[in-house]
Structure formats: C-alpha cells, structure tokens
Amino acid sequence: MLFDLAATAPDITYKLLAATVVPRPIAWVVTHGAGGGINAAPFSFFNVMGHTPPTVALGITPDASGGLKHTARNILATREFVVNLVPERLAGAMNLTSIDAPEGVDELALAGLTGAPSARVAPPRIAESPVALECRLMQGIETGPAQMLFIGEVLAVHIAEDCVKDATRGHIDTPKLDLIGRSYGSDYVRSHDIFRLERPRWRDYTGRKPGES
C-alpha cells in the first residue's frame, strides 16, 4: 500500500514512521536551561552519523502545544547536551523522565538519578548510564514548525569501566551494556538476540581487488 505523505495527516505519518523504522536507539538527553536548571528527556529519533568528526543527529518534534520542547530550547540556548544510552535496568527511570513536567522541573531528581560532572560540557551526564556522549551543537535545522534536527559533535565518551575490554584497542563488551531500543507505540526491544553476517569482499567473488581489470 502506498502512503502519499503529502496527503497524510501528521499523526498518521508519525505512526507510519515510528512503526516501521525500528528498532531505534534512545538518546536520553541532559541539558541545562538558560537559567542553569537541569532537564532530562528521552528521544528515539536519534543515531550516530559519522566518526571523523564523531557526529550524532537528534530529532526533536514539537511539544503538545506546538512549540519547542524544553530540550530543543536548551540546546539552542547553550549549544551543549549530553546523550546517555539506556540499559534495560533503567527503562522505568527513562520512561519517567518523558513526563510532561513544567519547565524548571529536574527530571533527574524526579527519577532518583544522579548527575555526574561532564568533562567537556556543562550539562551533567547520568551516572547510572553505562554510556554518555558529551556533545557540542554543530548545526540546528528547523525541519518544520517547532520541529528540530540537531547535529552534534561528540567531544567525549564515558563508558562504564566493567564494559571496557581493551581501552587501547577500543574494544567494548557491547552485550554487557544491556541497551534497549524503541519499537512502536509503547514497546521497546532488548539487544540480546543478535546474529552475525561477515561483510562481503569483492575479491572473494571475482579474485580481483576493486578497480583491477
């Protein structure tokens, strides 16, 4: 079935995209307000987009009133944010920070979480999270009314010590991170069920290196 999105209501468009582009990693974003207060909220329109420089992209849709969400306003004001990743044990706390709290509420305190100092940016990271990416805004793009796409450069990465296998070689015990992702509706997925596919090489099929005749 074809869905022409030019003729599709926005709420249906959201459902179509959220139900088909799965699973999506969750960016548990901590920011500082212009007045210095802490805000934390999860977003699943998120992913890493490159490594030189290390880059992430974060999409934030409008709030219920049609305006910018607190996180979007804070990033525009301070140009800094921390993306924390979500292990299954913190799913409940993450979900609580998605609450439609008024501006000025510290969602970390509300969820019983601990803010830990960041190394390169002002907003704290979530101490309980096994991975935190300290980010500086590279570009903010308004993709629709109060809908923002933020491109951030990752300045520093915090990874739980017991999940680092070999720091020199950059080897991480990914299964031990126990991260979850967003599915559709109110559903989430675990990262335990995995399978492996080795990347194919042209010379295995032809006996030649790319470019050789």
Side-chain angles (χ1 to χ4, degrees), residues 50-100:
H51 70 284
T52 312
T55 307
V56 296
L58 172 67
I60 301 182
T61 55
D63 65 16
S65 69
L68 289 174
K69 287 182 177 174
H70 299 154
T71 299
R73 295 205 304 266
N74 290 349
I75 294 174
L76 288 171
T78 68
R79 304 187 67 83
E80 294 182 338
F81 58 101
V82 178
V83 172
N84 304 270
L85 302 184
V86 185
E88 185 177 359
R89 67 181 181 276
L90 295 181
M94 175 274 299
N95 190 49
L96 181 53
T97 63
S98 70
I99 193 169
D100 55 343

mmCIF file of all heavy atoms in Angstrom, residues 50-100:
data_model
loop_
_atom_site.group_PDB
_atom_site.id
_atom_site.type_symbol
_atom_site.label_atom_id
_atom_site.label_comp_id
_atom_site.label_asym_id
_atom_site.label_seq_id
_atom_site.Cartn_x
_atom_site.Cartn_y
_atom_site.Cartn_z
ATOM 1 N N GLY A 50 28.590 9.565 11.951
ATOM 2 C CA GLY A 50 29.944 9.566 11.406
ATOM 3 C C GLY A 50 30.950 9.573 12.544
ATOM 4 O O GLY A 50 30.582 9.751 13.708
ATOM 5 N N HIS A 51 32.229 9.364 12.174
ATOM 6 C CA HIS A 51 33.243 9.290 13.230
ATOM 7 C C HIS A 51 34.398 10.262 13.046
ATOM 8 O O HIS A 51 35.234 10.381 13.939
ATOM 9 C CB HIS A 51 33.785 7.859 13.339
ATOM 10 C CG HIS A 51 34.634 7.431 12.178
ATOM 11 N ND1 HIS A 51 34.102 7.093 10.955
ATOM 12 C CD2 HIS A 51 35.976 7.284 12.065
ATOM 13 C CE1 HIS A 51 35.073 6.757 10.138
ATOM 14 N NE2 HIS A 51 36.226 6.871 10.779
ATOM 15 N N THR A 52 34.496 10.963 11.912
ATOM 16 C CA THR A 52 35.584 11.923 11.711
ATOM 17 C C THR A 52 35.045 13.205 11.092
ATOM 18 O O THR A 52 35.019 13.343 9.875
ATOM 19 C CB THR A 52 36.678 11.326 10.786
ATOM 20 O OG1 THR A 52 37.020 10.016 11.223
ATOM 21 C CG2 THR A 52 37.910 12.198 10.780
ATOM 22 N N PRO A 53 34.550 14.142 11.878
ATOM 23 C CA PRO A 53 34.477 14.104 13.340
ATOM 24 C C PRO A 53 33.333 13.217 13.822
ATOM 25 O O PRO A 53 32.389 12.945 13.063
ATOM 26 C CB PRO A 53 34.219 15.573 13.712
ATOM 27 C CG PRO A 53 33.426 16.095 12.557
ATOM 28 C CD PRO A 53 34.002 15.421 11.337
ATOM 29 N N PRO A 54 33.398 12.763 15.075
ATOM 30 C CA PRO A 54 32.310 11.957 15.619
ATOM 31 C C PRO A 54 31.034 12.790 15.712
ATOM 32 O O PRO A 54 31.022 13.862 16.327
ATOM 33 C CB PRO A 54 32.826 11.548 16.999
ATOM 34 C CG PRO A 54 33.902 12.537 17.321
ATOM 35 C CD PRO A 54 34.489 12.972 16.031
ATOM 36 N N THR A 55 29.985 12.304 15.081
ATOM 37 C CA THR A 55 28.789 13.112 14.879
ATOM 38 C C THR A 55 27.534 12.324 15.220
ATOM 39 O O THR A 55 27.413 11.147 14.875
ATOM 40 C CB THR A 55 28.701 13.560 13.406
ATOM 41 O OG1 THR A 55 29.924 14.192 13.028
ATOM 42 C CG2 THR A 55 27.554 14.530 13.195
ATOM 43 N N VAL A 56 26.598 12.981 15.885
ATOM 44 C CA VAL A 56 25.286 12.395 16.143
ATOM 45 C C VAL A 56 24.217 13.322 15.594
ATOM 46 O O VAL A 56 24.434 14.531 15.420
ATOM 47 C CB VAL A 56 25.040 12.156 17.651
ATOM 48 C CG1 VAL A 56 26.013 11.125 18.205
ATOM 49 C CG2 VAL A 56 25.115 13.454 18.441
ATOM 50 N N ALA A 57 23.061 12.738 15.299
ATOM 51 C CA ALA A 57 21.902 13.515 14.867
ATOM 52 C C ALA A 57 20.740 13.208 15.797
ATOM 53 O O ALA A 57 20.503 12.055 16.155
ATOM 54 C CB ALA A 57 21.528 13.183 13.431
ATOM 55 N N LEU A 58 20.043 14.250 16.202
ATOM 56 C CA LEU A 58 18.949 14.137 17.157
ATOM 57 C C LEU A 58 17.749 14.907 16.628
ATOM 58 O O LEU A 58 17.848 16.107 16.354
ATOM 59 C CB LEU A 58 19.389 14.713 18.513
ATOM 60 C CG LEU A 58 18.335 14.857 19.606
ATOM 61 C CD1 LEU A 58 17.855 13.484 20.069
ATOM 62 C CD2 LEU A 58 18.908 15.652 20.784
ATOM 63 N N GLY A 59 16.637 14.221 16.453
ATOM 64 C CA GLY A 59 15.422 14.869 16.002
ATOM 65 C C GLY A 59 14.463 15.081 17.161
ATOM 66 O O GLY A 59 14.216 14.163 17.947
ATOM 67 N N ILE A 60 13.933 16.292 17.283
ATOM 68 C CA ILE A 60 13.002 16.617 18.371
ATOM 69 C C ILE A 60 11.749 17.227 17.765
ATOM 70 O O ILE A 60 11.809 18.255 17.080
ATOM 71 C CB ILE A 60 13.641 17.581 19.387
ATOM 72 C CG1 ILE A 60 14.910 16.955 19.991
ATOM 73 C CG2 ILE A 60 12.639 17.939 20.481
ATOM 74 C CD1 ILE A 60 15.577 17.812 21.047
ATOM 75 N N THR A 61 10.627 16.576 18.006
ATOM 76 C CA THR A 61 9.341 17.033 17.491
ATOM 77 C C THR A 61 8.747 18.089 18.431
ATOM 78 O O THR A 61 9.227 18.272 19.555
ATOM 79 C CB THR A 61 8.377 15.854 17.344
ATOM 80 O OG1 THR A 61 8.273 15.171 18.607
ATOM 81 C CG2 THR A 61 8.887 14.862 16.299
ATOM 82 N N PRO A 62 7.700 18.794 18.008
ATOM 83 C CA PRO A 62 7.112 19.842 18.860
ATOM 84 C C PRO A 62 6.481 19.269 20.122
ATOM 85 O O PRO A 62 6.164 18.080 20.206
ATOM 86 C CB PRO A 62 6.041 20.467 17.950
ATOM 87 C CG PRO A 62 6.420 20.082 16.566
ATOM 88 C CD PRO A 62 7.084 18.760 16.669
ATOM 89 N N ASP A 63 6.281 20.139 21.113
ATOM 90 C CA ASP A 63 5.574 19.717 22.320
ATOM 91 C C ASP A 63 4.069 19.721 22.057
ATOM 92 O O ASP A 63 3.610 20.018 20.945
ATOM 93 C CB ASP A 63 5.949 20.599 23.525
ATOM 94 C CG ASP A 63 5.510 22.051 23.374
ATOM 95 O OD1 ASP A 63 4.669 22.355 22.503
ATOM 96 O OD2 ASP A 63 6.012 22.893 24.149
ATOM 97 N N ALA A 64 3.302 19.369 23.079
ATOM 98 C CA ALA A 64 1.860 19.212 22.905
ATOM 99 C C ALA A 64 1.174 20.506 22.474
ATOM 100 O O ALA A 64 0.126 20.476 21.824
ATOM 101 C CB ALA A 64 1.239 18.697 24.205
ATOM 102 N N SER A 65 1.776 21.647 22.798
ATOM 103 C CA SER A 65 1.188 22.932 22.428
ATOM 104 C C SER A 65 1.637 23.402 21.045
ATOM 105 O O SER A 65 1.209 24.451 20.571
ATOM 106 C CB SER A 65 1.546 23.990 23.468
ATOM 107 O OG SER A 65 2.935 24.295 23.411
ATOM 108 N N GLY A 66 2.541 22.636 20.422
ATOM 109 C CA GLY A 66 3.044 23.025 19.110
ATOM 110 C C GLY A 66 4.288 23.880 19.155
ATOM 111 O O GLY A 66 4.736 24.372 18.118
ATOM 112 N N GLY A 67 4.878 24.051 20.338
ATOM 113 C CA GLY A 67 6.091 24.848 20.471
ATOM 114 C C GLY A 67 7.317 23.974 20.645
ATOM 115 O O GLY A 67 7.245 22.743 20.620
ATOM 116 N N LEU A 68 8.464 24.609 20.816
ATOM 117 C CA LEU A 68 9.708 23.881 21.027
ATOM 118 C C LEU A 68 9.702 23.189 22.387
ATOM 119 O O LEU A 68 9.305 23.777 23.394
ATOM 120 C CB LEU A 68 10.903 24.824 20.958
ATOM 121 C CG LEU A 68 11.278 25.395 19.592
ATOM 122 C CD1 LEU A 68 12.391 26.415 19.754
ATOM 123 C CD2 LEU A 68 11.707 24.295 18.636
ATOM 124 N N LYS A 69 10.161 21.956 22.426
ATOM 125 C CA LYS A 69 10.310 21.264 23.701
ATOM 126 C C LYS A 69 11.458 21.882 24.494
ATOM 127 O O LYS A 69 12.331 22.557 23.953
ATOM 128 C CB LYS A 69 10.560 19.775 23.453
ATOM 129 C CG LYS A 69 9.314 19.029 22.985
ATOM 130 C CD LYS A 69 9.572 17.553 22.788
ATOM 131 C CE LYS A 69 8.275 16.844 22.388
ATOM 132 N NZ LYS A 69 8.490 15.421 22.044
ATOM 133 N N HIS A 70 11.436 21.625 25.806
ATOM 134 C CA HIS A 70 12.463 22.196 26.682
ATOM 135 C C HIS A 70 13.864 21.838 26.192
ATOM 136 O O HIS A 70 14.765 22.678 26.174
ATOM 137 C CB HIS A 70 12.282 21.687 28.112
ATOM 138 C CG HIS A 70 10.965 22.055 28.720
ATOM 139 N ND1 HIS A 70 10.382 21.315 29.722
ATOM 140 C CD2 HIS A 70 10.109 23.071 28.459
ATOM 141 C CE1 HIS A 70 9.230 21.865 30.059
ATOM 142 N NE2 HIS A 70 9.048 22.931 29.311
ATOM 143 N N THR A 71 14.068 20.573 25.804
ATOM 144 C CA THR A 71 15.390 20.144 25.362
ATOM 145 C C THR A 71 15.847 20.939 24.146
ATOM 146 O O THR A 71 17.002 21.372 24.064
ATOM 147 C CB THR A 71 15.389 18.644 25.040
ATOM 148 O OG1 THR A 71 15.058 17.909 26.228
ATOM 149 C CG2 THR A 71 16.739 18.181 24.522
ATOM 150 N N ALA A 72 14.960 21.129 23.182
ATOM 151 C CA ALA A 72 15.314 21.879 21.976
ATOM 152 C C ALA A 72 15.683 23.320 22.317
ATOM 153 O O ALA A 72 16.673 23.866 21.805
ATOM 154 C CB ALA A 72 14.152 21.846 20.981
ATOM 155 N N ARG A 73 14.898 23.939 23.181
ATOM 156 C CA ARG A 73 15.194 25.322 23.565
ATOM 157 C C ARG A 73 16.549 25.408 24.271
ATOM 158 O O ARG A 73 17.329 26.338 24.032
ATOM 159 C CB ARG A 73 14.082 25.878 24.462
ATOM 160 C CG ARG A 73 12.745 26.007 23.762
ATOM 161 C CD ARG A 73 11.864 27.062 24.410
ATOM 162 N NE ARG A 73 11.640 26.833 25.821
ATOM 163 C CZ ARG A 73 10.595 26.185 26.328
ATOM 164 N NH1 ARG A 73 9.671 25.691 25.513
ATOM 165 N NH2 ARG A 73 10.454 26.028 27.612
ATOM 166 N N ASN A 74 16.824 24.432 25.122
ATOM 167 C CA ASN A 74 18.077 24.453 25.876
ATOM 168 C C ASN A 74 19.285 24.275 24.955
ATOM 169 O O ASN A 74 20.322 24.930 25.128
ATOM 170 C CB ASN A 74 18.075 23.361 26.941
ATOM 171 C CG ASN A 74 17.100 23.645 28.065
ATOM 172 O OD1 ASN A 74 16.557 24.748 28.164
ATOM 173 N ND2 ASN A 74 16.853 22.654 28.903
ATOM 174 N N ILE A 75 19.173 23.365 23.995
ATOM 175 C CA ILE A 75 20.294 23.156 23.073
ATOM 176 C C ILE A 75 20.554 24.410 22.254
ATOM 177 O O ILE A 75 21.704 24.814 22.034
ATOM 178 C CB ILE A 75 20.033 21.942 22.168
ATOM 179 C CG1 ILE A 75 20.014 20.649 22.989
ATOM 180 C CG2 ILE A 75 21.096 21.846 21.064
ATOM 181 C CD1 ILE A 75 19.622 19.409 22.197
ATOM 182 N N LEU A 76 19.498 25.052 21.799
ATOM 183 C CA LEU A 76 19.670 26.289 21.027
ATOM 184 C C LEU A 76 20.304 27.388 21.880
ATOM 185 O O LEU A 76 21.109 28.181 21.395
ATOM 186 C CB LEU A 76 18.323 26.751 20.494
ATOM 187 C CG LEU A 76 17.729 25.918 19.342
ATOM 188 C CD1 LEU A 76 16.305 26.361 19.055
ATOM 189 C CD2 LEU A 76 18.594 26.028 18.091
ATOM 190 N N ALA A 77 19.950 27.422 23.164
ATOM 191 C CA ALA A 77 20.452 28.480 24.039
ATOM 192 C C ALA A 77 21.890 28.255 24.480
ATOM 193 O O ALA A 77 22.679 29.200 24.570
ATOM 194 C CB ALA A 77 19.545 28.604 25.269
ATOM 195 N N THR A 78 22.262 27.001 24.752
ATOM 196 C CA THR A 78 23.582 26.725 25.333
ATOM 197 C C THR A 78 24.544 26.026 24.378
ATOM 198 O O THR A 78 25.748 26.023 24.625
ATOM 199 C CB THR A 78 23.444 25.847 26.589
ATOM 200 O OG1 THR A 78 22.998 24.534 26.201
ATOM 201 C CG2 THR A 78 22.450 26.455 27.567
ATOM 202 N N ARG A 79 24.008 25.391 23.324
ATOM 203 C CA ARG A 79 24.790 24.672 22.318
ATOM 204 C C ARG A 79 25.530 23.468 22.891
ATOM 205 O O ARG A 79 26.517 22.997 22.315
ATOM 206 C CB ARG A 79 25.772 25.611 21.589
ATOM 207 C CG ARG A 79 25.101 26.805 20.934
ATOM 208 C CD ARG A 79 26.065 27.620 20.090
ATOM 209 N NE ARG A 79 26.516 26.875 18.927
ATOM 210 C CZ ARG A 79 25.839 26.772 17.779
ATOM 211 N NH1 ARG A 79 24.659 27.359 17.654
ATOM 212 N NH2 ARG A 79 26.327 26.077 16.764
ATOM 213 N N GLU A 80 25.040 22.932 23.997
ATOM 214 C CA GLU A 80 25.648 21.756 24.606
ATOM 215 C C GLU A 80 24.563 20.787 25.060
ATOM 216 O O GLU A 80 23.486 21.196 25.474
ATOM 217 C CB GLU A 80 26.515 22.149 25.803
ATOM 218 C CG GLU A 80 27.746 22.976 25.453
ATOM 219 C CD GLU A 80 28.603 23.295 26.658
ATOM 220 O OE1 GLU A 80 28.080 23.255 27.795
ATOM 221 O OE2 GLU A 80 29.799 23.592 26.471
ATOM 222 N N PHE A 81 24.897 19.494 25.000
ATOM 223 C CA PHE A 81 23.982 18.478 25.511
ATOM 224 C C PHE A 81 24.750 17.180 25.720
ATOM 225 O O PHE A 81 25.822 16.973 25.146
ATOM 226 C CB PHE A 81 22.787 18.263 24.570
ATOM 227 C CG PHE A 81 23.116 17.866 23.160
ATOM 228 C CD1 PHE A 81 23.006 16.544 22.737
ATOM 229 C CD2 PHE A 81 23.536 18.817 22.226
ATOM 230 C CE1 PHE A 81 23.292 16.176 21.430
ATOM 231 C CE2 PHE A 81 23.811 18.460 20.910
ATOM 232 C CZ PHE A 81 23.698 17.135 20.510
ATOM 233 N N VAL A 82 24.194 16.313 26.557
ATOM 234 C CA VAL A 82 24.794 15.003 26.810
ATOM 235 C C VAL A 82 23.775 13.933 26.441
ATOM 236 O O VAL A 82 22.638 13.964 26.921
ATOM 237 C CB VAL A 82 25.226 14.839 28.277
ATOM 238 C CG1 VAL A 82 25.808 13.443 28.511
ATOM 239 C CG2 VAL A 82 26.248 15.901 28.668
ATOM 240 N N VAL A 83 24.185 13.015 25.583
ATOM 241 C CA VAL A 83 23.347 11.885 25.215
ATOM 242 C C VAL A 83 23.768 10.684 26.047
ATOM 243 O O VAL A 83 24.913 10.222 25.945
ATOM 244 C CB VAL A 83 23.474 11.543 23.719
ATOM 245 C CG1 VAL A 83 22.736 10.238 23.405
ATOM 246 C CG2 VAL A 83 22.929 12.676 22.864
ATOM 247 N N ASN A 84 22.867 10.192 26.876
ATOM 248 C CA ASN A 84 23.093 8.987 27.655
ATOM 249 C C ASN A 84 22.324 7.849 26.997
ATOM 250 O O ASN A 84 21.223 8.060 26.474
ATOM 251 C CB ASN A 84 22.605 9.175 29.093
ATOM 252 C CG ASN A 84 23.247 10.371 29.770
ATOM 253 O OD1 ASN A 84 24.287 10.253 30.387
ATOM 254 N ND2 ASN A 84 22.623 11.535 29.635
ATOM 255 N N LEU A 85 22.890 6.651 27.003
ATOM 256 C CA LEU A 85 22.196 5.496 26.446
ATOM 257 C C LEU A 85 21.532 4.716 27.572
ATOM 258 O O LEU A 85 21.912 4.830 28.742
ATOM 259 C CB LEU A 85 23.163 4.635 25.646
ATOM 260 C CG LEU A 85 23.853 5.389 24.497
ATOM 261 C CD1 LEU A 85 24.731 4.443 23.686
ATOM 262 C CD2 LEU A 85 22.846 6.083 23.592
ATOM 263 N N VAL A 86 20.519 3.933 27.210
ATOM 264 C CA VAL A 86 19.603 3.379 28.213
ATOM 265 C C VAL A 86 19.732 1.861 28.324
ATOM 266 O O VAL A 86 19.380 1.132 27.394
ATOM 267 C CB VAL A 86 18.146 3.738 27.863
ATOM 268 C CG1 VAL A 86 17.206 3.261 28.974
ATOM 269 C CG2 VAL A 86 17.986 5.232 27.634
ATOM 270 N N PRO A 87 20.215 1.351 29.475
ATOM 271 C CA PRO A 87 20.193 -0.087 29.719
ATOM 272 C C PRO A 87 18.810 -0.501 30.223
ATOM 273 O O PRO A 87 18.032 0.325 30.701
ATOM 274 C CB PRO A 87 21.250 -0.266 30.808
ATOM 275 C CG PRO A 87 21.169 1.007 31.592
ATOM 276 C CD PRO A 87 20.833 2.083 30.585
ATOM 277 N N GLU A 88 18.518 -1.774 30.109
ATOM 278 C CA GLU A 88 17.184 -2.246 30.497
ATOM 279 C C GLU A 88 16.859 -1.928 31.954
ATOM 280 O O GLU A 88 15.724 -1.590 32.287
ATOM 281 C CB GLU A 88 17.063 -3.748 30.250
ATOM 282 C CG GLU A 88 15.663 -4.271 30.522
ATOM 283 C CD GLU A 88 15.494 -5.741 30.216
ATOM 284 O OE1 GLU A 88 16.464 -6.386 29.769
ATOM 285 O OE2 GLU A 88 14.373 -6.254 30.421
ATOM 286 N N ARG A 89 17.849 -1.984 32.821
ATOM 287 C CA ARG A 89 17.576 -1.752 34.245
ATOM 288 C C ARG A 89 17.102 -0.326 34.525
ATOM 289 O O ARG A 89 16.518 -0.056 35.584
ATOM 290 C CB ARG A 89 18.818 -2.061 35.083
ATOM 291 C CG ARG A 89 19.984 -1.118 34.861
ATOM 292 C CD ARG A 89 21.197 -1.490 35.688
ATOM 293 N NE ARG A 89 22.304 -0.568 35.484
ATOM 294 C CZ ARG A 89 23.174 -0.656 34.478
ATOM 295 N NH1 ARG A 89 23.051 -1.628 33.585
ATOM 296 N NH2 ARG A 89 24.151 0.218 34.366
ATOM 297 N N LEU A 90 17.353 0.598 33.596
ATOM 298 C CA LEU A 90 16.941 1.990 33.799
ATOM 299 C C LEU A 90 15.741 2.370 32.932
ATOM 300 O O LEU A 90 15.409 3.556 32.827
ATOM 301 C CB LEU A 90 18.106 2.939 33.490
ATOM 302 C CG LEU A 90 19.332 2.836 34.400
ATOM 303 C CD1 LEU A 90 20.387 3.851 33.975
ATOM 304 C CD2 LEU A 90 18.957 3.041 35.860
ATOM 305 N N ALA A 91 15.079 1.373 32.345
ATOM 306 C CA ALA A 91 13.954 1.669 31.459
ATOM 307 C C ALA A 91 12.856 2.443 32.184
ATOM 308 O O ALA A 91 12.280 3.398 31.639
ATOM 309 C CB ALA A 91 13.396 0.373 30.869
ATOM 310 N N GLY A 92 12.549 2.051 33.400
ATOM 311 C CA GLY A 92 11.499 2.744 34.150
ATOM 312 C C GLY A 92 11.856 4.185 34.443
ATOM 313 O O GLY A 92 11.020 5.081 34.311
ATOM 314 N N ALA A 93 13.109 4.416 34.831
ATOM 315 C CA ALA A 93 13.554 5.780 35.115
ATOM 316 C C ALA A 93 13.550 6.617 33.845
ATOM 317 O O ALA A 93 13.151 7.787 33.849
ATOM 318 C CB ALA A 93 14.947 5.747 35.740
ATOM 319 N N MET A 94 13.997 6.023 32.737
ATOM 320 C CA MET A 94 13.975 6.735 31.464
ATOM 321 C C MET A 94 12.552 7.138 31.101
ATOM 322 O O MET A 94 12.286 8.277 30.698
ATOM 323 C CB MET A 94 14.576 5.848 30.374
ATOM 324 C CG MET A 94 14.522 6.409 28.966
ATOM 325 S SD MET A 94 12.965 6.058 28.100
ATOM 326 C CE MET A 94 12.969 4.271 28.057
ATOM 327 N N ASN A 95 11.628 6.195 31.256
ATOM 328 C CA ASN A 95 10.237 6.475 30.915
ATOM 329 C C ASN A 95 9.671 7.589 31.781
ATOM 330 O O ASN A 95 8.918 8.450 31.301
ATOM 331 C CB ASN A 95 9.408 5.203 31.061
ATOM 332 C CG ASN A 95 8.021 5.349 30.499
ATOM 333 O OD1 ASN A 95 7.825 5.811 29.380
ATOM 334 N ND2 ASN A 95 7.024 4.961 31.279
ATOM 335 N N LEU A 96 10.048 7.620 33.049
ATOM 336 C CA LEU A 96 9.549 8.663 33.946
ATOM 337 C C LEU A 96 10.026 10.041 33.499
ATOM 338 O O LEU A 96 9.283 11.028 33.612
ATOM 339 C CB LEU A 96 10.005 8.382 35.380
ATOM 340 C CG LEU A 96 9.548 9.381 36.453
ATOM 341 C CD1 LEU A 96 8.036 9.589 36.429
ATOM 342 C CD2 LEU A 96 10.012 8.931 37.835
ATOM 343 N N THR A 97 11.240 10.120 32.967
ATOM 344 C CA THR A 97 11.749 11.432 32.543
ATOM 345 C C THR A 97 11.077 11.939 31.266
ATOM 346 O O THR A 97 11.322 13.074 30.854
ATOM 347 C CB THR A 97 13.280 11.415 32.336
ATOM 348 O OG1 THR A 97 13.613 10.510 31.278
ATOM 349 C CG2 THR A 97 14.001 11.012 33.612
ATOM 350 N N SER A 98 10.238 11.113 30.650
ATOM 351 C CA SER A 98 9.480 11.577 29.484
ATOM 352 C C SER A 98 8.205 12.313 29.898
ATOM 353 O O SER A 98 7.445 12.779 29.047
ATOM 354 C CB SER A 98 9.111 10.400 28.574
ATOM 355 O OG SER A 98 8.126 9.569 29.179
ATOM 356 N N ILE A 99 7.979 12.431 31.193
ATOM 357 C CA ILE A 99 6.770 13.075 31.725
ATOM 358 C C ILE A 99 6.663 14.527 31.239
ATOM 359 O O ILE A 99 7.669 15.197 31.018
ATOM 360 C CB ILE A 99 6.792 13.019 33.272
ATOM 361 C CG1 ILE A 99 5.446 13.382 33.857
ATOM 362 C CG2 ILE A 99 7.895 13.902 33.838
ATOM 363 C CD1 ILE A 99 5.343 13.094 35.355
ATOM 364 N N ASP A 100 5.433 14.970 31.059
ATOM 365 C CA ASP A 100 5.202 16.341 30.571
ATOM 366 C C ASP A 100 5.263 17.341 31.728
ATOM 367 O O ASP A 100 4.311 18.075 31.993
ATOM 368 C CB ASP A 100 3.864 16.437 29.837
ATOM 369 C CG ASP A 100 2.691 15.961 30.680
ATOM 370 O OD1 ASP A 100 2.918 15.267 31.704
ATOM 371 O OD2 ASP A 100 1.545 16.270 30.328
#
